[in-house]
Amino acid sequence: MTSSNDQSENAFNDACRKILEEDPEAIGVSFKWLDCGCSLICGVSAKGAPLGLLVHVSGQPKKKGHRPPICLKCKRDSGLDRVVWQGIHWPGDESELPDKELRLAIGRIVFGPGYSE
């Protein structure tokens, strides 16, 4: 049996993969991980521009064959005051990542000047 954390990570990875497949301009996926296990994600271009809509990925465990239940915390608020981790998900392995300078430049456009990896 998988833990709810494993399930939320799998849902997160699946959602990131979908964004990257559907938008050829996306070189990464910006994310804000919330205290409830949910995340808010959006594709990001090489210039740091958001691509597409902000997507909510439920961190709630789903029952086999059903969609994940709605997170009651996220239903009450946007979750932006409950961010515990933020960053950019880069596809591929270490050898396929953009240069660190480019990653940091994009991260600072997306999250502000205090961004670091």
Side-chain angles (χ1 to χ4, degrees), residues 19-97:
I19 286 173
L20 292 165
E21 288 172 358
E22 291 179 355
D23 196 332
E25 285 187 66
I27 66 164
V29 178
S30 63
F31 66 86
K32 291 184 179 278
W33 206 272
L34 309 178
D35 64 354
C36 57
C38 296
S39 57
L40 302 171
I41 65 173
C42 182
V44 65
S45 75
K47 295 183 178 181
L51 300 171
L53 300 173
L54 188 64
V55 176
H56 176 269
V57 180
S58 179
Q60 303 304 305
K62 71 177 191 174
K63 294 180 182 173
K64 191 173 185 173
H66 293 78
R67 293 180 8 178
I70 295 171
C71 174
L72 296 178
K73 280 186 173 183
C74 289
K75 190 172 180 176
R76 285 192 295 264
D77 64 28
S78 68
L80 293 175
D81 291 332
R82 299 183 289 107
V83 175
V84 294
W85 181 35
Q86 66 182 12
I88 298 178
H89 169 79
W90 303 103
D93 62 29
E94 190 76 26
S95 68
E96 298 172 290
L97 297 179

Side-chain angles (χ1 to χ4, degrees), residues 92-111:
D93 62 29
E94 190 76 26
S95 68
E96 298 172 290
L97 297 179
D99 291 335
K100 185 168 183 163
E101 289 179 25
L102 178 60
R103 295 192 318 258
L104 289 172
I106 293 170
R108 289 179 180 135
I109 292 168
V110 174
F111 297 111

